Structure formats: C-alpha cells, structure tokens
Amino acid sequence: MTGYMGKILNVDLTSGTISETDTDAAVMRQYLGGCGLGAKLLFDLTSRETDPLGPENPLIFATGPLTGTALYNSDRFDLVTKSPLTGIFAEASAGGFWAGRFKKCGYDALVITGASPSPVYLTITDDHAEIKDAADLWGKETFETDRILREREGSHARACVIGPAGENLVNIACIITDGRHGRALGRCGVGAVMGSKRLKAVVANGTKRVSVADPETIKAINKRMTVLIKEGMGGMKDAGTGGGLEASEELGNLPIRNWGQGSWKEGAVKTTGMTMTRERLTNTYSCGHCIISCGRVVEAKGGPYDGEEVAGPEYETLGLMGTNLMNDDLDAVIKANELCNRYGLDTISAGGVIGFAMEAAELELITEEDFAGVPVEWGNNETIVGLLGQIARREGLGALIGQGVRKAASELGPMAMEIAAEIKGLEPPAHDGRAKFTAAIGMATSARGACHLSGFAHDFEEGAVLEDLGSPALTDRFTPVGKAENVFRMQNLMGVMDSAITCKFPLFGGLTVNPLIAAINAATGWDMDREEFFRTGERIFTIKRLYNNRLGITRKDDTLPSRMLKKVRGGGTSHLPPLEEMLAEYYEYRGWDGFGRPAPAKVAELGLKHYAALAAESWQRGSGTE
C-alpha cells in the first residue's frame, strides 16, 4: 500500500491499553483517509446516544495518502469526533508539521477512546506509543506546554495541545499544534472532547519514510505548482490570508457589528492583512512542504499590548475579532488572537459569541452586572480581552457564552434567537451568504454547520475558475443560476482534498482536479479516473449527511442565520439569497429526498446501504439532538 503506512493506532485511555489494527486497503480506496476515513470510523464507533463529552466518543486523527509525501502543501491531517458544541458531526483540519511526524511513526490514523482518571499525554514514535503522566502540565497554556514537551520528547517532536479552555470543557475550545506558530484544529469544540478525556497533548516524532508509487510524477506536479504559485499567489505570500479583508468589506462579505451592519471601510483598512504586513510583520512561517508561507509572525507595538512576537491573525480572526466587534485596533486583534491560541479557543466562535453578547447587552438581554467588571462597549479592547479570559475559565458571562451562540440565545429568549448567528449550532466564519450565493448554499448544507471550507465555492464566484471542475464559471454572485451545481461539485472536490489530504490554497496554484487525481495515483499506484474521483468525494460528503440524519438533522436545519435570510445588509450587497429555491435544486443534484435524506438509489450507488439503514432506524425512533 504505497501512500499509506498500513496501520491504525488505537488507544483506550480508560484501561490504558494500546493496540494496532491493519489499514484496510478496500476502505482506503473508498474513503482515502482524513475526514473520509474519520467519518466512517465515527459512524462505526458511536450511536445516536453517544455523549460528546463521554468516554465513548472517539477522537480520530487521520492522515491521507498524500500526507508525508514530497507533494507541496500536503503536510495536513483531519480530526473527526462528535461535537459538544453542536451535538452532530465534527471535523477540524490543520497544517503545520504534526501530520508528517505522526504518519512517519508508521500509522495512518489514531483513534483515542475512553477517559484517563488523571491528566496524561500520549507520545508516539516509530511503531511505538506510550501514555505518560501530565499532572505538571495540566493548567498550563498551550505555548508553555508545547515548549516543555519539545524539551522532553526532542526538538523535532510536534504536539497537539489543549489549553485551559479544553481542560475546562468549554464548548468552543480548540486544539493547537506548533506552539507559538500555532495552527489550530479550531472548530466544533474538539478541544473540549480532548479535555474530557484528560488528555493534555498528543506528541508525534516519527522518522520512517512514506513510500509512493511514482515519485517522478509528484516531482513534475511540484515543478508546475512552483511556477504557478509564484505567478499567481504573490498576494497570499505578501499579506497572508488577511490580505483580502478590504475587498471582502466592499463585497458585503465581512462580518460587521454581529452581522448587523452593512459596511465599515475604515475598520477594514486599519485591520487588513496588508496593514499588518506594513506595520507589524517581523517574519513569516509555513507548514510542512509549503511554498506559500502564509503564516505571519507579528508584534503588537506600544500600549498595553506591547509584547513578544506571536503568530498573526488570519482573515477569519481579523474579521470576527475586528470588524465584527467594531474593533479597529490591530494590536487588540493581535492580542485577542494570541490569547485564543494560548487558552485554546476557536477564534471564529469566540468572536461570534462576544459579538452576540455585545448586541444582547445593547438590547438589555444581558446587564452590565453580567459582564462581571468587564466594560460593556463595542470595540472596547478590555471587553474583548476580559471576556476571552472568562470564557476560557467558564467564569461570569463566559460560562454562558462559552456554550456557543445557540445555547446562550436559548437561555436568553426569543429576541436573542433573532440576533444569534449560527448554523446547526456553529458560529459562521467571516463570510456572508448575502454577499455570495454559493456561500449561502455551502454553509447551509455543510455537515459541521457554518463552514465555508466544506464547499469553498465562494472564491470561484465572480473570481477564479476551475476549468477542470466540470461546471460553468459563475459570473453573477446574485443569481441562483448554476449555484447548486457548482456547490455540489465543489463539496465533492473538498471531500477528496480533506481526505487525501492537501491544503486548499494550491487550487490557485495549479493543484486542481486533474493534477490532484494524478498526485493520488502517483502516491498509491491506483488508476483512479475522474468518475471515481468525484464519486469518492460524493461518498464522503454523503456519509457525513447520513451520520447527521441519524441525529435528527433534516432540511429544516439546512438554513442560515435569520439576518442572512431576512435583513438586507447594504454596503456591497442589497440582495437576500433565495435559499429555498437553490436548496431544492441542490437536493436534486445530491439525490436527496425532500426531507434532506439521501434517497435509496443514491445510497446504493455510493455503497452506503448499511449507514443509511442505521440513519433510518434512528429517524424512526426520533431525534437524538437537543
């Protein structure tokens, strides 16, 4: 099995047992690895009743056939579990260097179940794993934990670490890898699942070689990518993902004042990635085998936020911690990003819940007393910093909003539900369904909730064109024409990319459908063609849907926040997405029935009858979601 290591590592923290199982070649051909393999394993290992914070909920770390190879931008992994934030399918993806180190230990995936009676961390080296005491690490922030573990386990070791937020089982807690140059498994509260197992870190330090069937083809693909990335992705290299913040504001895509305001050009200009590059950038960094280097090393200068060099905020963080909170102080956004990384908090959800809290206070749904000494004011730096600490510690108002917007709003009443920005319980990234209609369908139908990356179609709407995707260019972002087909195809493509696994940015540098097929075949020795490629992506997307169907997710859940459906935003858009019209067409492409369930013919075509039967059984017994 070239492209694979041939083993899956299984760790039961309750009993302390460690075992290995062989990687099933047939399963890998169907699901590849990454989120595809993770979705299948999660379905096999959980039931409708599984408690996300219970010992039976697995944490599944999975690589793919491209991970650890020489292919550029492929040093990535996915984590799959059941979300404590949403109660449904959860996945998070990260780059950095952990994935390659882990795969070179000799494993394709890691499945962690159970819960340790005391804090522990897991070390994995070549064909070996060990559970170690972490009592002295419990309570430490992620940067300090990462530093200590590298001293103990070797300078080349890489760790996935939780901070205080994960230890305190905060629903929006994340997992950080690579310390100060943090890459985050950010979404869905995966850090709380890790904390519930009293698992402080997973350290990998492998040295094995990942063999591929055709290294010359991978070299040729890399050579082509080098030229195209140099020609077409200079902006990403120069300004990082935040370079497009001003353009996003002009389109009406950037979150402003808890998604309630149409435009704020001045705030976008002050906090854009270009301003950060000019005024605060000290260096850049990259993930393994990356030639883009979008990571920013920045330093907040002067004032209360003067400090050490840290990883700079990405586009999503600049949007959610900046304009969404009416915060135009770049140093404050940098500090907020640093604190989230230290505490182990998802910056997207954290910005979302703080924006919700600020508007709730404005509507007198929350009082000044609830803020426990933190100022109640849009754009106030003390408010942002103070609430992040409360969330991580589950103190004061943080105990309420740290549950996530949906649960907090349900406690505050009907008016709070009107201002709650969430989809299936997950706070939206910095993309507005009113600005690009592919984003509306993509986020509404994503398996994990509000997610722009499971479809990633928005950047190819009135923008770049994937000529080998098989659907026409989208020249008008405000028409439903072509949107359902494009999202359908892009979601299937993303399913493959998140399972193979590779970064999505090289789509702009030549790693599109046909080169990606060639890369997978070069790694594995397969003869995958376009039909199998897209069918694999469709199978991966569909098994996630069946998992959610099992938990009661239906068409009623494929929606957008109230504001994106009912309130004309202004600024760069005066349109509302015709979601129901686009959704009906999308369901036809997917082969789903009117309730949002994959129909029998589609289930049979994709080889998912067993999982459809499990979903149907739960459907008949009633929903398992809250």
Side-chain angles (χ1 to χ4, degrees):
M1 289 180 65
T2 57
Y4 296 99
M5 306 307 285
K7 291 187 294 184
I8 294 174
L9 181 65
N10 305 289
V11 177
D12 183 338
L13 292 174
T14 299
S15 64
T17 58
I18 298 172
S19 62
E20 298 173 356
T21 53
D22 292 335
T23 302
D24 188 317
V27 168
M28 291 310 204
R29 186 73 184 244
Q30 288 183 305
Y31 297 98
L32 294 176
C35 74
L37 176 64
K40 181 192 183 304
L41 292 174
L42 184 68
F43 219 142
D44 291 341
L45 293 171
T46 60
S47 69
R48 188 184 65 158
E49 291 78 20
T50 297
D51 178 357
L53 296 179
E56 67 276 13
N57 188 26
L59 271 174
I60 304 165
F61 298 75
T63 64
L66 299 179
T67 308
T69 70
L71 184 73
Y72 290 151
N73 301 88
S74 61
D75 206 341
R76 297 187 65 84
F77 67 108
D78 259 48
L79 186 148
V80 173
T81 189
K82 187 177 183 183
S83 169
L85 176 63
T86 66
I88 60 173
F89 180 84
E91 64 179 301
S93 179
F97 292 86
W98 188 90
R101 294 285 184 213
F102 168 74
K103 188 169 179 180
K104 290 174 183 179
C105 292
Y107 303 104
D108 297 307
L110 165 65
V111 180
I112 302 174
T113 55
S116 173
S118 60
V120 295
Y121 70 97
L122 178 67
T123 62
I124 310 168
T125 53
D126 293 356
D127 300 313
H128 179 74
E130 185 177 352
I131 300 169
K132 298 184 178 181
D133 179 63
D136 64 324
L137 300 176
W138 204 253
K140 294 187 183 299
E141 295 176 354
T142 62
F143 294 176
E144 178 71 1
T145 302
D146 184 84
R147 182 190 65 77
I148 293 171
L149 288 172
R150 288 199 196 191
E151 290 176 356
R152 286 183 188 174
E153 305 298 336
S155 60
H156 294 291
R158 292 294 183 269
C160 287
V161 174
I162 59 169
E167 295 176 5
N168 291 327
L169 310 187
V170 176
N171 277 355
I172 61 171
C174 71
I175 299 169
I176 296 290
T177 183
D178 286 352
R180 289 182 179 274
H181 291 175
R183 297 298 187 184
L185 293 156
R187 311 247 57 201
C188 304
V190 296
V193 179
M194 194 158 157
S196 72
K197 298 182 180 304
R198 285 178 282 281
L199 179 64
K200 182 65 174 178
V202 180
V203 185
N205 196 9
T207 62
K208 287 174 169 283
R209 179 174 172 271
V210 179
S211 63
V212 298
D214 182 3
E216 293 306 312
T217 291
I218 290 180
K219 287 181 183 177
I221 294 170
N222 282 347
K223 185 176 180 180
R224 179 173 180 266
M225 286 172 61
T226 300
V227 174
L228 293 175
I229 286 174
K230 185 176 181 181
E231 290 177 350
M233 298 191 68
M236 179 77 76
K237 192 174 186 69
D238 292 341
T241 61
L245 201 78
E246 286 181 78
S248 184
E249 190 274 340
E250 290 175 5
L251 290 169
N253 188 49
L254 192 66
I256 302 170
R257 201 181 183 93
N258 193 34
W259 302 95
Q261 184 168 313
S263 62
W264 190 31
K265 185 174 179 60
E266 299 82 4
V269 169
K270 288 182 180 180
T271 55
T272 181
M274 305 220 186
T275 300
M276 185 165 62
T277 295
R278 287 194 304 269
E279 300 180 4
R280 296 293 183 267
L281 188 72
T282 61
N283 206 341
T284 63
Y285 64 94
S286 64
C287 302
H289 293 296
C290 175
I291 58 172
I292 299 174
S293 298
C294 69
R296 314 280 92 187
V297 180
V298 298
E299 180 181 5
K301 297 181 179 180
Y305 304 117
D306 186 50
E308 301 173 328
E309 292 182 333
V310 292
E314 304 277 356
Y315 165 81
E316 309 297 339
T317 309
L318 290 167
L320 270 302
M321 290 291 186
T323 55
N324 187 58
L325 305 182
M326 302 304 291
N327 172 25
D328 62 1
D329 184 339
L330 181 59
D331 289 331
V333 180
I334 290 171
K335 186 63 178 180
N337 183 70
E338 177 198 343
L339 288 175
C340 283
N341 286 348
R342 286 181 180 276
Y343 295 155
L345 284 171
D346 175 14
T347 60
I348 296 175
S349 285
V353 300
I354 293 175
F356 166 80
M358 293 308 301
E359 186 165 2
E362 209 170 41
L363 295 171
E364 298 182 350
L365 303 175
I366 298 175
T367 67
E368 285 195 28
E369 187 176 326
D370 292 321
F371 278 76
V374 173
V376 186
E377 183 182 358
W378 285 105
N380 189 306
N381 302 333
E382 293 180 44
T383 304
I384 299 166
V385 170
L387 286 180
L388 288 175
Q390 287 189 9
I391 292 168
R393 296 187 296 271
R394 290 182 69 169
E395 295 175 352
L397 183 59
L400 173 68
I401 62 176
Q403 299 177 91
V405 164
R406 173 179 282 190
K407 292 180 180 178
S410 69
E411 292 188 26
L412 295 178
M415 188 177 293
M417 298 297 288
E418 288 294 317
I419 66 168
E422 52 86 14
I423 302 171
K424 298 183 178 75
L426 185 64
E427 293 73 23
H431 300 274
D432 195 322
R434 293 168 290 189
K436 293 189 176 183
F437 286 179
T438 54
I441 312 175
M443 289 196 294
T445 58
S446 168
R448 69 179 181 179
C451 174
H452 62 299
L453 291 174
S454 67
F456 203 46
H458 56 280
D459 275 356
F460 301 90
E461 190 171 6
E462 290 189 358
V465 176
L466 291 179
E467 294 181 355
D468 53 4
L469 180 66
S471 61
L474 302 177
T475 57
D476 184 352
R477 59 192 171 112
F478 296 130
T479 175
V481 176
K483 303 302 164 65
E485 177 186 1
N486 190 266
V487 170
F488 163 73
R489 292 181 185 275
M490 285 295 291
Q491 286 175 335
N492 294 342
L493 171 58
M494 295 304 105
V496 172
M497 296 190 82
D498 289 335
S499 301
I501 305 170
T502 179
C503 177
K504 293 170 183 177
F505 293 149
L507 282 171
F508 306 106
L511 192 65
T512 56
V513 175
N514 293 333
L516 188 56
I517 293 171
I520 292 171
N521 286 337
T524 60
W526 297 342
D527 57 353
M528 177 183 282
D529 58 15
R530 283 178 61 88
E531 181 181 357
E532 182 184 355
F533 178 91
F534 281 109
R535 187 169 62 248
T536 300
E538 187 174 8
R539 179 182 300 112
I540 291 166
F541 193 89
T542 303
I543 194 173
K544 296 176 188 178
R545 181 65 176 198
L546 289 169
Y547 182 86
N548 281 344
N549 282 160
R550 188 188 199 186
L551 298 172
I553 295 297
T554 67
R555 183 173 184 146
K556 72 181 187 308
D557 303 291
D558 292 340
T559 190
L560 296 172
S562 177
R563 279 184 169 159
M564 292 187 192
L565 288 176
K566 302 175 184 177
K567 178 181 171 59
V568 173
R569 172 179 170 137
T573 171
S574 58
H575 295 74
L576 294 175
L579 184 62
E580 286 302 315
E581 176 187 344
M582 294 188 295
L583 204 58
E585 185 179 0
Y586 171 86
Y587 278 16
E588 289 183 14
Y589 277 105
R590 280 267 166 236
W592 294 357
D593 66 18
F595 296 101
R597 299 175 299 183
K602 179 57 65 177
V603 166
E605 175 190 330
L606 299 175
L608 295 173
K609 286 185 177 180
H610 169 68
Y611 297 106
L614 291 175
E617 180 185 353
S618 288
W619 182 281
Q620 292 163 3
R621 287 194 292 153
S623 169
T625 58
E626 295 182 1

